[in-house]
Amino acid sequence: MADLGPGAAAPGNPRGGAGRGVRPEPRHIRRVLVIWAIATVLGIALVLNLHRLLPGLLPPMASSEAQGVDFTLGFFTVLAVPVAMLVWVFAAYSIATWRVRRFEGLDGPPISGSPVLQTTWILSSALLCLFLVVYGLALLTNVSAAPPGRLLTVDVTGQQWQWNFKYPSRGGVTTTTLALPVNRPILFRVTSLDVDHSFWIPALAIKIDAIPGEVTTVYAMPTREGTYTARCAELCGLYHSYMQSRVRVLSAGGFSSWIGAQERVWGRGGG
Amino acid sequence: MTAPQSGRHLLGALGTVVVGAVVVVGVSGLLRVLAAVPPTLRARPVGVVQTAVGPLTRASLTLSTYPDSLAGEHGSGGGAHPGWVSYGPTTNLWVPAHALVTVTIRNYDGATTLTDPFYGRVQGTVGGVEWVNGRATRGVPAAQVAHTFTIHMFPTPGQPLLDVSVPLPGVPASTPVGADGYPAPTVVTFQFRTGASGRYIWQCEDPCGTRVGGFGGPMSTQGYMTGTLVVGHG
Amino acid sequence: MASRWWSQSVLTGVPMGVVTALVAALLTRAIGGPSASDAAICIGFVGWAFGFLGGMGAFRYPRTLLLARPDPTAEEEHQLAVQGGGPWRYFRFTTDHKVVGIQYLVLGLVLFAVGGLAAMLIRLELLRPGAAAFPPATYNTIVGLHGIIMIAGTIIMITGPFGNFVVPIMIGARDMAFPRLNALSFWLLFTAVPVLLCAPFLGGFPTGWTSYAPLADQAPPGMDAFLVTILLFGGSVAVAGANIVTTAITMRAPGMTWTRLPIFVWGAAMTASTLGLMVFPAFMAAMVLLGLDRTLGTSFYVASGGGSAWLYDNLFWLMGHPEVYVIAIPAFAVIMELLPVFSRKPLFGYRTAVASTTAIVGLSVLVWAHHMFVTGWAPQLNGPFMLTTEMISIPTGVVFLVAVGTLWRGRIWLTVPMLFVLSFLWNFVIGGMTGLYLADVPTDYQLHGSLFVTAHFHYTLMGGALMGFFAAFYYWFPKMTGRMLNETLGRIHFWVTQVAFNVTFLAMFYVGLQGMPRRVADYSAQFAAGNFVASIGAFVLGAAMLVFAYNIVSSWLRGQRAPSNPWHAKTLEWQVPTPVPLENFEETPVITSWPYDYGAPEPTPEGAAERAPA
Ligand SMILES: [Cu+2]
Ligand SMILES: [Cu+2]
């Protein structure tokens, strides 16, 4: 067993291209491209109607940040469909067309690569990637800046396994229910007194870790009144699952009367 | 592969699946035993009271907090961790729905300063107060708190909030130790109302445990400084 | 002397390990007092590992070296590789790479069985809201065990069994470069398993496998067991990595040039070197600092003592992210190795595939902070890390081009291994595409820490990498054991796995998008439907794995005898007899062609691989 190769019949190295007399088969390419186009259209149609098929697929998108996330999720999915379909349709077509029941000792054509195709593939995925990065950076710049308007600051403190919310502009009123005025920019300053937590309001699409000894910040602009939930999104020990608080987005008037009532209780020395 | 061989293989595979299912059930049973779930203490309903929000069942609970684990559910030997602070007689509680619950907690432990003074305030009780040795109060300074009894959270939206939190003032260090090995306790009483049925948890928010932040050991173990609270019917 | 059944095997290793552990722990406790209980546990577990290895005879050669005794003779080396032959050699410090490969295979399957059991328990808890099955502390420990066992299992699942058994034969070598280190890597891994399984009896650990500090500082003594497990496992991975890389570089037969190297060798060697030598040490360092925090009261991770949780996050993800790519690469390599065999066509774009694999490995060490977008650690770096993360999708995408290009116009032979190769194409596309949402910072703000992430990485690690393992398993099992796996059971295993897997994790995407955090024991009623479906899917998936387990055991014991080359493949391991002789090759082979040279101008009746040597 000194020499295991087919010897002279084969070149020592893989070479690109169908250089060994492989007949091209354009009709397969034409067919599979048509199937791909149809599958892509159907796939995109499915994506655009997914929220109808699966009610409650996303939480109520109740902030301007959430609306951006909602759009991006759908947009990326639509972009992903043709790429995924390219792989699936080509693979499925190959399997359906060239499947053999059992091994017959026959080989396929000796195509070991196509420099043009490989270059095209890499360049187009690089372009797609570049687009995603530029898009992402633009969106990131957008959500990192304070939304316009008079900022309301809320200090969020995580401690195993409860959040509390302090309104520094209201004499330090502190509560375990978070109330926010609608259509007003909010700055959350988040910290933890013990271990890592993560402050997440799914309906507002904001999340920032609560790190002991540090203050992290995140902006939100609630746009829709309603009752939502704040959850802890970083495993923080025994009752991580129960580290949830009620969030109420109120009208401007509703918020003033709520915070007024809280101030009176707070002033009496009770919680 | 011949037909009888194939049949035998399918049977063997099916048998393996059954054995696997038995193993899953067996191991989960074993883990439940290892977890030693504390028994449940049910609040006694004692008649009905008319209130501004309609008739409510009256019920009462009596709990104690100890500087160790020698007097509660862990037995006189103290179980695996005799030195851990603990609530007794147990930490899994049951109270009726739509009830006015009166809770009495005897605290036999000294104070540990709160990490967050917020939990020194009485919250969510009837009248916003607790009675400490018979005296009504709305809050306790952070340095004087031994433990807190803090109910919170709702795994399901729509379940009524029960944001009750009361601080338990510590026994002063100078208090003489009695025949039972503990000083005379601080007695804290408070009332809260329950709504519809639901599942809650309660915990101490005072860093009375071990390790980083004082929230290790008993603070992170059901049966010591934390437990469940079920609001139910029947 | 090692031929006597009682001499230096696990039967001497285990008692010596246990005695050393007890002595070490009790001594530490006696010297340090009650405050040293964490130190006693850590030192006890380390003592177990050293005692066990000593009892196995792992230190005989180092001792010889240190005492400047004469080098072992060829006969002694032979003895170390054979260990008296028979089944007992699998329980000894045996240096034959084929024995080590089988040892890794069995231990890997045991790890998957335990990790899978934990997965079933997790889904049992999440079947309905209400945390009905276990209290939260028990649940948290189960989650952590599932995570670390599956991560460890997937790290070793391909480079361990197949990297050891197949790679040396594939490159025409007689053994690995360092046979003793090979045995050491396996037995070091073995010592880590009982240590981890002690954790639930030491109070468990509430942190999950990510063991985030300072929660890990606060955890019960189960955390000590966890951190020693990581140190032992990391040692094993480092030793194994150095060995595989050195083997691939120095042990290739004449004519096995870099461009004739099977793609599987490329994947295994690059992975092993990156993971074991560059990446895993960061996790080990993190665990050493954690151990110091816990035993000596330092404050590396405790803010009140000047430490930082962000330090832990960085150390962990410096390992954590490269690690997931590096788990995936051996699977990519298996996929690319098998596609030409079952498409009967050359690998499409071999050089591009090698270059892409290299690029993935290189980029993978530059993306770690995308796990920290929401930590608030360095918001100014979110943009750059988004860039590197999305860049890595370019070389990853090439794998799909290679796959589809190889399939196109092939003669596609749908064997069980090929089915698993094809399922990879479905699952990993979904896994990769959903990664885009997590790479994009604003959408990550929403999805991070939710079950969407859990579903995403199960699509890549289970739907992708584990399917690659299954493909490799069905493909190389005949060579490794001399038996064929039952095909009917294999097809049942495949179809049930593929369907149940997709049901389980699509449902998990759904609840993740709805806003359900991961690693929770209890959840709101709004997530009940998705979780119910995911649990049922997971139970069916578990049943499929049991069919697989039955197939392994029954086929290994009584399966059809395997021919030496059942797949008519061209790589070297299929050209040697089955069972593979101790020295693999009678004489050193000389390589004259590329291993994917399918598609000869005129077809031969026996298939390309069986043509007579020139
Ligand atoms: Cu938390
Ligand atoms: Cu306490």
Side-chain angles (χ1 to χ4, degrees):
Chain A
M1 213 190 322
D3 181 350
L4 294 150
N13 290 324
R15 239 184 279 121
R20 278 188 275 166
V22 178
R23 237 179 330 107
E25 296 217 23
R27 83 197 152 91
H28 287 299
I29 296 276
R30 278 199 301 274
R31 250 186 241 163
V32 79
L33 286 176
V34 169
I35 300 174
W36 169 67
I38 295 169
T40 301
V41 170
L42 290 178
I44 290 175
L46 177 72
V47 169
L48 295 179
N49 288 293
L50 210 54
H51 62 282
R52 269 185 268 274
L53 296 170
L54 291 169
L57 177 62
L58 293 174
M61 290 295 173
S63 70
S64 52
E65 293 75 15
Q67 283 145 19
V69 166
D70 192 6
F71 175 78
T72 308
L73 288 175
F75 179 52
F76 279 15
T77 315
V78 168
L79 280 185
V81 169
V83 182
M85 287 302 171
L86 196 65
V87 175
W88 291 340
V89 168
F90 269 80
Y93 184 90
S94 305
I95 297 164
T97 313
W98 294 297
R99 178 157 62 119
V100 293
R101 289 244 152 264
R102 55 191 69 250
F103 183 70
E104 297 152 333
L106 293 173
D107 283 358
I111 308 167
S112 54
S114 155
V116 175
L117 191 56
Q118 281 153 233
T119 315
T120 316
W121 178 278
I122 291 172
L123 284 182
S124 47
S125 54
L127 276 178
L128 193 62
C129 165
L130 186 69
F131 170 75
L132 290 178
V133 171
V134 171
Y135 177 90
L137 285 175
L139 196 64
L140 177 61
T141 316
N142 197 18
V143 300
S144 306
R150 198 162 58 89
L151 208 59
L152 174 70
T153 300
V154 180
D155 288 333
V156 180
T157 304
Q159 180 170 16
Q160 287 169 320
W161 295 274
Q162 179 150 265
W163 297 107
N164 62 52
F165 309 99
K166 184 187 211 168
Y167 295 82
S169 59
R170 295 301 192 126
V173 168
T174 308
T175 61
T176 50
T177 292
L178 173 64
L180 301 169
V182 74
N183 290 328
R184 217 178 125 183
I186 316 288
L187 169 64
F188 293 104
R189 298 191 299 204
V190 182
T191 192
S192 162
L193 297 178
D194 38 43
V195 301
D196 289 12
H197 302 277
S198 192
F199 179 63
W200 182 25
I201 306 177
L204 306 186
I206 55 158
K207 182 182 293 121
I208 192 78
D209 279 5
I211 305 286
E214 309 284 347
V215 176
T216 53
T217 57
V218 65
Y219 293 105
M221 176 81 154
T223 52
R224 201 195 297 171
E225 291 172 41
T227 301
Y228 312 112
T229 306
R231 306 179 193 284
C232 176
E234 184 59 67
L235 181 54
C236 57
L238 185 69
Y239 284 149
H240 167 56
S241 344
Y242 299 97
M243 191 159 167
Q244 309 194 22
S245 303
R246 196 154 285 185
V247 178
R248 298 170 66 196
V249 175
L250 304 167
S251 65
F255 179 74
S256 320
S257 55
W258 179 85
I259 196 89
Q262 296 299 320
E263 277 175 311
R264 280 190 295 281
V265 177
W266 188 254
R268 283 205 305 262
Chain B
M1 186 166 62
T2 59
Q5 247 183 335
S6 169
R8 207 169 55 229
H9 274 311
L10 292 180
L11 214 64
L14 205 67
T16 315
V17 172
V18 172
V19 171
V22 170
V23 168
V24 170
V25 172
V27 171
S28 60
L30 185 74
L31 286 172
R32 280 186 73 103
V33 173
L34 273 180
V37 180
T40 300
L41 174 69
R42 292 173 74 92
R44 272 178 301 111
V46 285
V48 174
V49 61
Q50 293 299 327
T51 69
V53 294
L56 292 173
T57 312
R58 286 179 71 112
S60 69
L61 272 178
T62 303
L63 300 169
S64 303
T65 46
Y66 306 102
D68 51 38
S69 289
L70 302 174
E73 61 165 287
H74 305 283
S76 54
H81 305 286
W84 282 7
V85 290
S86 67
Y87 263 90
T90 179
T91 55
N92 283 358
L93 312 174
W94 183 95
V95 296
H98 304 291
L100 178 67
V101 184
T102 305
V103 184
T104 306
I105 303 178
R106 290 169 209 283
N107 171 41
Y108 294 93
D109 196 9
T112 318
T113 305
L114 284 168
T115 337
D116 189 345
F118 174 68
Y119 295 104
R121 289 171 174 260
V122 178
Q123 298 165 65
T125 62
V126 174
V129 295
E130 65 177 3
W131 284 269
V132 177
N133 294 331
R135 247 193 35 241
T137 174
R138 291 180 183 278
V140 177
Q144 292 169 23
V145 176
H147 303 284
T148 78
F149 180 82
T150 305
I151 307 172
H152 58 102
M153 290 154 286
F154 46 101
T156 290
Q159 177 175 323
L161 284 178
L162 205 56
D163 278 341
V164 175
S165 179
V166 297
L168 311 179
V171 177
S174 56
T175 315
V177 172
D180 57 356
Y182 297 121
T186 314
V187 182
V188 174
T189 308
F190 60 93
Q191 292 184 306
F192 67 93
R193 294 191 196 99
T194 62
S197 55
R199 293 175 296 112
Y200 303 84
I201 53 112
W202 66 267
Q203 62 170 110
C204 169
E205 285 284 5
D206 187 270
C208 59
T210 58
R211 298 186 193 259
V212 171
F215 269 62
M219 287 293 278
S220 293
T221 311
Q222 286 185 334
Y224 290 89
M225 274 288 133
T226 172
T228 60
L229 176 78
V230 174
V231 177
H233 294 279
Chain C
M1 55 172 161
S3 57
R4 278 170 304 202
W5 66 268
W6 45 264
S7 68
Q8 298 210 320
S9 68
V10 285
L11 291 185
T12 50
V14 170
M16 244 184 99
V18 171
V19 170
T20 318
L22 289 177
V23 170
L26 293 176
L27 262 179
T28 313
R29 180 64 200 258
I31 295 165
S35 67
S37 65
D38 286 293
I41 291 170
C42 290
I43 290 173
F45 281 133
V46 173
W48 142 257
F50 275 95
F52 174 83
L53 290 172
M56 291 291 289
F59 301 131
R60 273 154 68 189
Y61 184 61
R63 199 178 55 205
T64 308
L65 275 182
L66 282 177
L67 302 181
R69 298 236 177 93
D71 273 355
T73 61
E75 197 181 330
E76 280 165 331
E77 296 283 3
H78 178 81
Q79 166 60 28
L80 209 52
V82 179
Q83 292 282 25
W88 263 108
R89 71 187 192 277
Y90 293 105
F91 299 93
R92 291 204 164 108
F93 198 78
T94 308
T95 56
D96 181 3
H97 71 99
K98 296 181 286 295
V99 171
V100 176
I102 298 280
Q103 287 171 330
Y104 263 109
L105 187 69
V106 173
L107 186 62
L109 290 169
V110 169
L111 287 178
F112 282 146
V114 179
L117 172 66
M120 294 299 107
L121 299 178
I122 291 172
R123 289 317 314 178
L124 197 64
E125 176 87 327
L126 299 180
L127 184 63
R128 316 286 290 136
F134 310 107
T138 308
Y139 175 83
N140 286 345
T141 300
I142 297 172
V143 167
L145 284 176
H146 168 73
I148 191 61
I149 291 175
M150 288 310 203
I151 288 289
T154 47
I155 285 174
I156 60 137
M157 72 183 170
I158 292 177
T159 49
F162 312 117
N164 276 303
F165 195 107
V166 178
V167 162
I169 317 182
M170 257 185 172
I171 61 173
R174 294 216 148 81
D175 203 328
M176 299 287 277
F178 307 113
R180 281 188 184 77
L181 286 188
N182 205 18
L184 180 67
S185 76
F186 172 76
W187 287 112
L188 205 48
L189 172 67
F190 179 88
T191 59
V193 178
V195 177
L196 183 64
L197 294 181
C198 281
F201 302 96
L202 291 168
F205 56 103
T207 58
W209 86 276
T210 49
S211 48
Y212 264 30
L215 180 60
D217 285 286
Q218 194 195 71
M223 204 72 229
D224 299 319
F226 178 91
L227 75 91
V228 175
T229 303
I230 297 304
L231 296 180
L232 295 174
F233 180 73
S236 162
V237 169
V239 171
N243 203 357
I244 291 190
V245 173
T246 314
T247 305
I249 293 175
T250 63
M251 305 286 283
R252 283 168 294 129
M256 181 61 85
T257 58
W258 288 110
T259 49
R260 285 179 188 158
L261 199 60
I263 190 91
F264 179 66
V265 180
W266 276 107
M270 274 192 287
T271 301
S273 57
T274 321
L275 188 60
L277 299 176
M278 292 169 62
V279 166
F280 222 81
F283 196 10
M284 295 169 75
M287 287 297 116
V288 169
L289 301 189
L290 175 64
L292 293 174
D293 272 12
R294 291 178 59 85
T295 57
L296 300 181
T298 57
S299 56
F300 288 102
Y301 306 131
V302 184
S304 56
S308 169
W310 285 331
L311 169 65
Y312 182 86
D313 295 4
N314 273 294
L315 283 174
F316 179 82
W317 289 113
L318 273 168
M319 174 283 303
H321 199 85
E323 173 258 2
V324 292
Y325 272 106
V326 169
I327 285 173
I329 285 170
F332 292 170
V334 167
I335 302 301
M336 293 191 281
E337 186 67 45
L338 269 56
L339 273 165
V341 177
F342 295 114
S343 305
R344 314 307 300 171
K345 262 187 72 204
L347 184 65
F348 188 88
Y350 169 86
R351 287 175 185 216
T352 315
V354 171
S356 300
T357 313
T358 318
I360 297 173
V361 170
L363 280 172
S364 74
V365 297
L366 297 174
V367 297
W368 81 91
H370 70 208
H371 293 270
M372 297 174 62
F373 286 157
V374 306
T375 59
W377 164 59
Q380 70 278 17
L381 290 183
N382 284 358
F385 275 102
M386 176 162 67
L387 173 72
T388 54
T389 304
E390 286 178 352
M391 268 168 69
I392 211 167
S393 67
I394 302 170
T396 309
V398 169
V399 175
F400 293 104
L401 177 72
V402 170
V404 171
T406 308
L407 282 173
W408 186 254
R409 295 179 66 189
R411 299 188 64 83
I412 299 168
W413 184 20
L414 289 181
T415 58
V416 178
M418 185 61 164
L419 289 175
F420 280 104
V421 167
L422 295 171
S423 75
F424 169 93
L425 292 184
W426 173 266
N427 299 334
F428 204 86
V429 164
I430 297 178
M433 294 290 177
T434 49
L436 288 180
Y437 309 108
L438 302 172
D440 185 78
V441 181
T443 44
D444 186 60
Y445 284 164
Q446 173 71 337
L447 298 173
H448 186 92
S450 77
L451 277 175
F452 185 93
V453 175
T454 313
H456 156 73
F457 71 71
H458 278 86
Y459 258 95
T460 55
L461 294 185
M462 186 175 183
L466 191 69
M467 297 299 167
F469 164 76
F470 285 139
F473 188 92
Y474 280 91
Y475 180 69
W476 278 307
F477 187 85
K479 181 57 69 181
M480 293 174 76
T481 66
R483 306 277 187 167
M484 300 298 288
L485 284 157
N486 182 295
E487 193 174 340
T488 312
L489 292 178
R491 284 177 192 274
I492 294 173
H493 170 218
F494 169 76
W495 283 108
V496 179
T497 299
Q498 178 63 4
V499 171
F501 168 79
N502 277 279
V503 167
T504 304
F505 293 100
L506 285 176
M508 221 175 264
F509 275 129
Y510 176 55
V511 289
L513 284 170
Q514 280 186 305
M516 177 166 163
R518 57 191 283 209
R519 295 163 153 179
V520 290
D522 198 354
Y523 54 88
S524 302
Q526 71 190 100
F527 308 123
N531 275 292
F532 185 76
V533 173
S535 284
I536 299 300
F539 297 150
V540 176
L541 194 51
M545 295 307 153
L546 291 166
V547 172
F548 177 54
Y550 170 78
N551 195 3
I552 298 169
V553 174
S554 70
S555 301
W556 205 327
L557 294 177
R558 284 177 283 111
Q560 214 184 353
R561 296 255 169 218
S564 68
N565 189 1
W567 316 114
H568 309 277
K570 292 193 170 192
T571 39
L572 278 176
E573 80 275 21
W574 298 107
Q575 318 310 325
V576 298
T578 303
V580 184
L582 181 68
E583 301 272 292
N584 300 343
F585 301 95
E586 268 172 55
E587 48 182 296
T588 306
V590 177
I591 315 307
T592 59
S593 72
W594 192 46
Y596 307 114
D597 230 349
Y598 297 96
E602 63 244 62
T604 52
E606 292 303 313
E610 293 183 358
R611 274 172 294 171

